[in-house]
Amino acid sequence: MDTEQLSIDKQALKIKAKLFRGFADPSRLMLIEVLRNEKKSVGELVEITGLSQPNVSNHLRCLADCDLVKRERDGRYIYYSLSDKRIKTILQKSEQLLSEVAKGLYDCTRYQSKK
């Protein structure tokens, strides 16, 4: 593999890593999961997740800036939804994978969950 191809691959990996960082934070992942089936307002997301309003707003801003969620104004409310139906597919595929590798991930000491 030549040097130019290697740098292209490294850049692609950096972008992929950014995508997965969107899913890596438990609060962001919770919001993505809640938005999986229908759009929700910030207030609804606060109520469903139990997260604070500033926390929800901050994570939604992050997800929107990275094009993982989209905003839609309806009167005085802004509703959030997944920006692409393939995000739902990623969640479904990850659940299928988890059903097969869950024990290994549970026992894995390399990726410790934040408490």
Side-chain angles (χ1 to χ4, degrees), residues 34-47:
V34 171
L35 296 172
R36 187 179 202 166
N37 294 314
E38 61 183 329
K39 63 185 179 181
K40 299 283 184 197
S41 69
V42 172
E44 290 172 317
L45 291 166
V46 167
E47 186 175 321

Side-chain angles (χ1 to χ4, degrees), residues 1 6 8 10 24 28 33-34 38 43 51 64-65 67 70 77-78 84 92 96 103 107 109-110:
M1 187 180 292
L6 185 59
I8 292 171
K10 284 182 180 181
R28 285 193 300 269
E33 284 285 357
V34 171
E38 61 183 329
L51 299 171
D65 287 348
D67 288 333
K70 61 183 178 181
Y77 294 100
I78 297 176
D84 191 302
Q92 291 166 336
Q96 292 169 355
K103 181 172 179 358
D107 292 341
T109 59
R110 302 240 180 220

